[in-house]
Amino acid sequence: MIQIPQDMTEVKVKIAQLEELGHKSDEKQVIFDAIQDNAQALLDEQLEGHYYSCKLDGDTITVFDVIQKPLGIIRSQGTNFEADFRKNAQNMLIDIDNKMQKIIDQR
């Protein structure tokens, strides 16, 4: 089972897997969850553990420290993260990773 989709092909597979398990799924929600989960995974990887968190809200991702103090904001490259994911998910993830690294380096 695909845990965190990393492109639109994997989103479609995830939706099919969820429906096989009897869960109704919405493509937009699966994409939102994929962006949120990928951003958190990138953050965890950079910090070598789950110390900070991030939250996707519209066209921004906010990075929080351990006491939930906002450290920085990542904005989408295009109109919003959903459109970026649909257009080129890998490029979007690289951009998030680079911007996240800058936020971490500033702490």
Side-chain angles (χ1 to χ4, degrees):
M1 175 170 277
I2 293 177
Q3 295 297 318
I4 304 174
Q6 299 209 353
D7 58 34
M8 284 306 296
T9 300
E10 290 184 4
V11 164
K12 292 178 187 332
V13 171
K14 174 90 177 191
I15 290 169
Q17 290 172 336
L18 290 169
E19 288 177 356
E20 267 185 40
L21 295 171
H23 302 286
K24 186 170 174 128
S25 58
D26 172 71
E27 185 177 78
K28 189 172 183 151
Q29 185 61 48
V30 172
I31 291 170
F32 179 90
D33 292 344
I35 296 165
Q36 171 71 45
D37 293 344
N38 275 297
Q40 185 64 54
L42 290 169
L43 184 58
D44 292 349
E45 183 179 315
Q46 287 185 17
L47 295 173
E48 297 179 2
H50 187 80
Y51 301 104
Y52 290 0
S53 61
C54 62
K55 181 178 183 206
L56 173 62
D57 185 19
D59 68 338
T60 61
I61 296 172
T62 305
V63 178
F64 299 93
D65 68 8
V66 293
I67 59 171
Q68 295 302 301
K69 176 184 163 195
L71 294 176
I73 293 175
I74 299 170
R75 298 205 185 281
S76 61
Q77 293 174 300
T79 308
N80 57 51
F81 282 109
E82 180 187 351
D84 291 351
F85 188 93
R86 287 177 183 277
K87 182 178 177 185
N88 187 333
Q90 292 305 312
N91 193 33
M92 181 204 70
L93 293 173
I94 290 168
D95 183 61
I96 290 172
D97 193 39
N98 291 335
K99 290 175 179 175
M100 206 168 277
Q101 185 62 53
K102 289 178 184 173
I103 291 170
I104 291 168
D105 289 346
Q106 292 175 356
R107 62 185 168 110

